[in-house]
Amino acid sequence: MKQSRRRALKAGGGAGVLALLCAAGVVSPGDVLAQSGNQAAFAMKTVREAMRALGAQAPAVSAAIQIKASEIAENGAVVPISIESKLPGTESITLLIEKNPNPLAASFTIPAGTEPNVSTRVKIGESSDVYALVKAEGKFYMAKKEIKITLGGCGG
Amino acid sequence: MADPMRIRVAARDGVVNVKILMSHEMETGQRKDGAGKLVSAHYISKVTATHKGQTVLSAEWGPAVAKNPFLEFNFKGGQKGDKIAVTWEDNKGESRTDETTIN
């Protein structure tokens, strides 16, 4: 009885490892080496995968990160978004849009002397949560905001 | 060759505000043309802004950045008359650099 349970666990563990390998296989190591920076993370299909590819396992939610955007965007093809981090030692700011085909939209590296506050305009396919991932003093933090879209950004 | 960027840079109280408007299609690779064929992705993947040879901002983008991308940021330590250079590279290997002076 115990033996079979153990064997089952073992088999389960093996499958888990295999799944991990498969996930890793989505982007082969050669690709990662060939592409600079975070290109692999841009290919990920979910916010969690993209965050993981950036090295953020479980970022803590922080009130010191502000996502400035209107809650309802009429035109999903051009949605202005500003992200400001008040965390000391902010090194990078990354913008992810949950329901886009590839959530990772843009990642900014903030050198010392540059204010941790960037503005840009993005495409959002449908109403979605938007995440700001901030790396400060080697740790990851995040904030979330929902943006409703009246007209999708990926039509045509 | 892509159109030049429009770059506005203004210094105020030691803080330099940089506004950049790039001219680029930012094609997602998800859109189909009139004949139902997928239009291949064509987007700016890398942006670097430098002040006196020092990088003041670098960015990696995916195709979700809107067409004719806009980017705004602030940095400290720039003075009137200093040069700011901005370079973008896209996923097809095209690139463009434009320069302006702080005023």
Side-chain angles (χ1 to χ4, degrees), chain A residues 76-134:
Chain A
V78 187
V79 184
I81 292 187
S82 293
I83 300 172
E84 184 173 7
S85 160
K86 294 201 167 77
L87 294 162
T90 295
E91 296 157 37
S92 73
I93 295 177
T94 303
L95 172 65
L96 302 108
I97 301 153
E98 188 167 40
K99 291 200 179 148
N100 273 8
N102 302 114
L104 183 49
S107 183
F108 302 89
T109 307
I110 314 287
T114 298
E115 292 179 359
N117 183 359
V118 290
S119 305
T120 188
R121 297 197 285 236
V122 291
K123 291 176 265 211
I124 301 182
E126 56 183 304
S127 299
S128 168
D129 280 340
V130 169
Y131 291 82
L133 180 70
V134 169

Side-chain angles (χ1 to χ4, degrees), chain A residues 36-39 42 77-79 97 100-102 104-111 113-115 117-123 155-156, chain B residues 15 21 26-28 30-32 43 45-46 55-68 70-76:
Chain A
S36 66
N38 302 321
Q39 286 304 309
F42 278 96
V78 187
V79 184
I97 301 153
N100 273 8
N102 302 114
L104 183 49
S107 183
F108 302 89
T109 307
I110 314 287
T114 298
E115 292 179 359
N117 183 359
V118 290
S119 305
T120 188
R121 297 197 285 236
V122 291
K123 291 176 265 211
Chain B
V15 176
L21 200 56
M26 297 302 285
E27 193 61 62
T28 58
Q30 321 258 353
R31 197 173 62 92
K32 286 179 179 150
Y43 57 93
S45 54
K46 220 173 161 185
T55 300
V56 286
L57 187 81
S58 59
E60 282 183 90
W61 287 354
V65 173
K67 179 178 173 175
N68 296 331
F70 169 78
L71 173 62
E72 181 179 2
F73 66 97
N74 298 292
F75 72 92
K76 292 185 193 112

